[in-house]
Amino acid sequence: MISTAKSITVFATAVLCIAPLAFIESDEPPMQELVIDDLEPEPDTETYESSIEIHQSHLCLDHEVIQYKFLFHDNATVTVDARVAYIIRDLKPVAYLFYLTDGEKRLTNFSYCTHVPTGTILDITTRRNHFKIGGRLLYRLINIGRDVPIDKTFSVASGDEWYLTIGVYRSIKEEEIFFKLKSNKPCIEIIPLERHDKIGYFSSWNNDFSGTYIGFKLPFLPFGFSFADSLEKEITTTRGTIVSFLSVAHLKGKIVVRLPEGSFYSNSDRWSAGFSYEGNNTGTWAFKASGIGFPWKHIVMLFYADVNPHIQSEIDGCGFTGKL
């Protein structure tokens, strides 16, 4: 009985001591709110890369052009490690475009290359067909192609912009295109700009021009004969223009180019006449060539890509350079 009374007394005392606390106001927030405040996330921060790699094995470009923009967010030292290589195993033409610019000029030397294989036993072009006999076994046994390694180091400042352009006219099995950009600190932002199929390569050997072209090459020898009359082709660009128009190995020949605004460029140099342009001039371009090839089967070639080159506009021709 006494023990029960003591227990009641202790319980009553505890209630009297604790109950007033429930009615006392406090400036401190509840414990749960303090925990939530302490766990609030920090403001978002931008994160940039210190190394970027681009590979044709992942891009799988085939009759396509792709372009990237690199934006640097800090002063840094960057290295460019790149390679363009291919080995031809058949008698079909290839053409590649690859260069890096800072918005005004090229930072790498490689621009574009083309290759049109010929038949070793017989190579004859008529008005409608191109007959090629022999050479397939030769191309399978011998590594015929090109390999261009690029290894350069640059200093960049915060806010600098670079542009990488890659074009593949025809993808083949034995080709390698890769680009690696590495910085001494995380400061690189990569921005994909565009990817499309506005790229073209045309040759007189394959009857890709209107007009008349007839030519043949002697068996197992580089010598031959050709005749070209009023070969013509038009292209239209809307984003920007990269173009090269060449007549090579002609004894006598002439090329004429009509630019979109209506001006003309012509060249009649012996053996080789050329025109190239990289810039933002767009519209319809018209190309025309004529010539006689001897003692070689001469070729007329046109390569273009409808893309903003991010290079100061220039026309380059044999014996001519000028601003538009």
Side-chain angles (χ1 to χ4, degrees), residues 182-198:
K182 188 174 182 180
S183 171
N184 62 338
K185 62 182 69 172
C187 66
I188 310 171
E189 179 183 1
I190 180 171
I191 305 171
L193 295 181
E194 57 183 331
R195 177 172 179 166
H196 58 77
D197 63 355
K198 298 300 186 292

mmCIF file of all heavy atoms in Angstrom, residues 182-198:
data_model
loop_
_atom_site.group_PDB
_atom_site.id
_atom_site.type_symbol
_atom_site.label_atom_id
_atom_site.label_comp_id
_atom_site.label_asym_id
_atom_site.label_seq_id
_atom_site.Cartn_x
_atom_site.Cartn_y
_atom_site.Cartn_z
ATOM 1 N N LYS A 182 42.461 17.267 -75.313
ATOM 2 C CA LYS A 182 42.782 17.092 -73.896
ATOM 3 C C LYS A 182 43.309 18.394 -73.320
ATOM 4 O O LYS A 182 44.180 19.046 -73.908
ATOM 5 C CB LYS A 182 43.810 15.982 -73.717
ATOM 6 C CG LYS A 182 44.058 15.606 -72.257
ATOM 7 C CD LYS A 182 44.982 14.410 -72.149
ATOM 8 C CE LYS A 182 45.190 14.008 -70.697
ATOM 9 N NZ LYS A 182 46.107 12.840 -70.587
ATOM 10 N N SER A 183 42.782 18.760 -72.148
ATOM 11 C CA SER A 183 43.180 19.997 -71.476
ATOM 12 C C SER A 183 43.831 19.682 -70.131
ATOM 13 O O SER A 183 43.594 18.621 -69.542
ATOM 14 C CB SER A 183 41.947 20.886 -71.261
ATOM 15 O OG SER A 183 42.257 21.982 -70.434
ATOM 16 N N ASN A 184 44.651 20.629 -69.646
ATOM 17 C CA ASN A 184 45.286 20.433 -68.347
ATOM 18 C C ASN A 184 44.346 20.744 -67.190
ATOM 19 O O ASN A 184 44.732 20.629 -66.026
ATOM 20 C CB ASN A 184 46.552 21.292 -68.225
ATOM 21 C CG ASN A 184 46.242 22.782 -68.320
ATOM 22 O OD1 ASN A 184 45.210 23.183 -68.850
ATOM 23 N ND2 ASN A 184 47.145 23.598 -67.798
ATOM 24 N N LYS A 185 43.101 21.139 -67.499
ATOM 25 C CA LYS A 185 42.098 21.362 -66.456
ATOM 26 C C LYS A 185 40.704 21.195 -67.062
ATOM 27 O O LYS A 185 40.527 21.372 -68.275
ATOM 28 C CB LYS A 185 42.247 22.765 -65.855
ATOM 29 C CG LYS A 185 42.024 23.892 -66.847
ATOM 30 C CD LYS A 185 42.222 25.266 -66.201
ATOM 31 C CE LYS A 185 43.666 25.521 -65.856
ATOM 32 N NZ LYS A 185 43.880 26.938 -65.403
ATOM 33 N N PRO A 186 39.694 20.842 -66.281
ATOM 34 C CA PRO A 186 38.335 20.680 -66.827
ATOM 35 C C PRO A 186 37.739 22.027 -67.231
ATOM 36 O O PRO A 186 37.324 22.816 -66.380
ATOM 37 C CB PRO A 186 37.552 20.063 -65.654
ATOM 38 C CG PRO A 186 38.576 19.560 -64.695
ATOM 39 C CD PRO A 186 39.761 20.458 -64.847
ATOM 40 N N CYS A 187 37.716 22.300 -68.532
ATOM 41 C CA CYS A 187 37.224 23.599 -68.985
ATOM 42 C C CYS A 187 36.550 23.532 -70.352
ATOM 43 O O CYS A 187 36.170 24.555 -70.906
ATOM 44 C CB CYS A 187 38.362 24.618 -69.025
ATOM 45 S SG CYS A 187 39.622 24.243 -70.268
ATOM 46 N N ILE A 188 36.385 22.316 -70.913
ATOM 47 C CA ILE A 188 35.891 22.173 -72.283
ATOM 48 C C ILE A 188 34.405 21.823 -72.285
ATOM 49 O O ILE A 188 33.987 20.862 -71.640
ATOM 50 C CB ILE A 188 36.664 21.094 -73.052
ATOM 51 C CG1 ILE A 188 38.171 21.294 -72.914
ATOM 52 C CG2 ILE A 188 36.252 21.090 -74.520
ATOM 53 C CD1 ILE A 188 38.991 20.152 -73.475
ATOM 54 N N GLU A 189 33.644 22.596 -73.042
ATOM 55 C CA GLU A 189 32.226 22.286 -73.271
ATOM 56 C C GLU A 189 32.060 21.940 -74.749
ATOM 57 O O GLU A 189 32.486 22.690 -75.623
ATOM 58 C CB GLU A 189 31.342 23.481 -72.913
ATOM 59 C CG GLU A 189 29.855 23.231 -73.155
ATOM 60 C CD GLU A 189 29.008 24.454 -72.850
ATOM 61 O OE1 GLU A 189 29.581 25.499 -72.469
ATOM 62 O OE2 GLU A 189 27.779 24.372 -73.024
ATOM 63 N N ILE A 190 31.447 20.790 -75.041
ATOM 64 C CA ILE A 190 31.233 20.366 -76.429
ATOM 65 C C ILE A 190 29.767 20.555 -76.794
ATOM 66 O O ILE A 190 28.869 20.186 -76.028
ATOM 67 C CB ILE A 190 31.664 18.899 -76.642
ATOM 68 C CG1 ILE A 190 31.424 18.496 -78.103
ATOM 69 C CG2 ILE A 190 30.963 17.958 -75.687
ATOM 70 C CD1 ILE A 190 32.014 17.144 -78.460
ATOM 71 N N ILE A 191 29.532 21.170 -77.963
ATOM 72 C CA ILE A 191 28.177 21.469 -78.418
ATOM 73 C C ILE A 191 28.002 20.913 -79.830
ATOM 74 O O ILE A 191 28.611 21.430 -80.774
ATOM 75 C CB ILE A 191 27.907 22.982 -78.422
ATOM 76 C CG1 ILE A 191 28.180 23.585 -77.039
ATOM 77 C CG2 ILE A 191 26.482 23.284 -78.870
ATOM 78 C CD1 ILE A 191 28.153 25.103 -77.017
ATOM 79 N N PRO A 192 27.211 19.858 -80.037
ATOM 80 C CA PRO A 192 26.939 19.377 -81.400
ATOM 81 C C PRO A 192 26.153 20.434 -82.174
ATOM 82 O O PRO A 192 25.159 20.968 -81.689
ATOM 83 C CB PRO A 192 26.095 18.115 -81.166
ATOM 84 C CG PRO A 192 26.335 17.738 -79.740
ATOM 85 C CD PRO A 192 26.572 19.020 -79.009
ATOM 86 N N LEU A 193 26.608 20.747 -83.386
ATOM 87 C CA LEU A 193 25.963 21.780 -84.188
ATOM 88 C C LEU A 193 25.029 21.201 -85.244
ATOM 89 O O LEU A 193 23.879 21.605 -85.346
ATOM 90 C CB LEU A 193 27.016 22.673 -84.847
ATOM 91 C CG LEU A 193 27.882 23.501 -83.902
ATOM 92 C CD1 LEU A 193 28.874 24.348 -84.695
ATOM 93 C CD2 LEU A 193 27.028 24.394 -83.004
ATOM 94 N N GLU A 194 25.511 20.274 -86.058
ATOM 95 C CA GLU A 194 24.659 19.715 -87.104
ATOM 96 C C GLU A 194 25.243 18.430 -87.657
ATOM 97 O O GLU A 194 26.439 18.158 -87.532
ATOM 98 C CB GLU A 194 24.456 20.711 -88.247
ATOM 99 C CG GLU A 194 25.744 21.205 -88.899
ATOM 100 C CD GLU A 194 25.447 22.244 -89.978
ATOM 101 O OE1 GLU A 194 24.358 22.177 -90.575
ATOM 102 O OE2 GLU A 194 26.304 23.104 -90.220
ATOM 103 N N ARG A 195 24.347 17.657 -88.277
ATOM 104 C CA ARG A 195 24.727 16.435 -88.988
ATOM 105 C C ARG A 195 23.737 16.262 -90.137
ATOM 106 O O ARG A 195 22.527 16.236 -89.927
ATOM 107 C CB ARG A 195 24.694 15.218 -88.060
ATOM 108 C CG ARG A 195 25.023 13.900 -88.775
ATOM 109 C CD ARG A 195 25.158 12.766 -87.790
ATOM 110 N NE ARG A 195 25.456 11.508 -88.484
ATOM 111 C CZ ARG A 195 25.895 10.399 -87.872
ATOM 112 N NH1 ARG A 195 26.100 10.401 -86.556
ATOM 113 N NH2 ARG A 195 26.140 9.302 -88.569
ATOM 114 N N HIS A 196 24.267 16.147 -91.370
ATOM 115 C CA HIS A 196 23.382 16.036 -92.529
ATOM 116 C C HIS A 196 24.132 15.378 -93.681
ATOM 117 O O HIS A 196 25.324 15.046 -93.565
ATOM 118 C CB HIS A 196 22.849 17.408 -92.943
ATOM 119 C CG HIS A 196 23.918 18.397 -93.273
ATOM 120 N ND1 HIS A 196 24.618 18.372 -94.465
ATOM 121 C CD2 HIS A 196 24.436 19.434 -92.558
ATOM 122 C CE1 HIS A 196 25.498 19.355 -94.484
ATOM 123 N NE2 HIS A 196 25.420 20.011 -93.346
ATOM 124 N N ASP A 197 23.436 15.186 -94.810
ATOM 125 C CA ASP A 197 24.015 14.461 -95.942
ATOM 126 C C ASP A 197 24.342 15.354 -97.130
ATOM 127 O O ASP A 197 24.495 14.873 -98.252
ATOM 128 C CB ASP A 197 23.075 13.338 -96.399
ATOM 129 C CG ASP A 197 21.732 13.863 -96.902
ATOM 130 O OD1 ASP A 197 21.502 15.090 -96.813
ATOM 131 O OD2 ASP A 197 20.912 13.050 -97.379
ATOM 132 N N LYS A 198 24.475 16.658 -96.907
ATOM 133 C CA LYS A 198 24.759 17.577 -98.019
ATOM 134 C C LYS A 198 26.263 17.624 -98.286
ATOM 135 O O LYS A 198 26.955 18.600 -97.999
ATOM 136 C CB LYS A 198 24.215 18.978 -97.697
ATOM 137 C CG LYS A 198 22.703 19.008 -97.504
ATOM 138 C CD LYS A 198 21.993 18.541 -98.776
ATOM 139 C CE LYS A 198 20.488 18.703 -98.671
ATOM 140 N NZ LYS A 198 19.872 17.795 -97.701
#
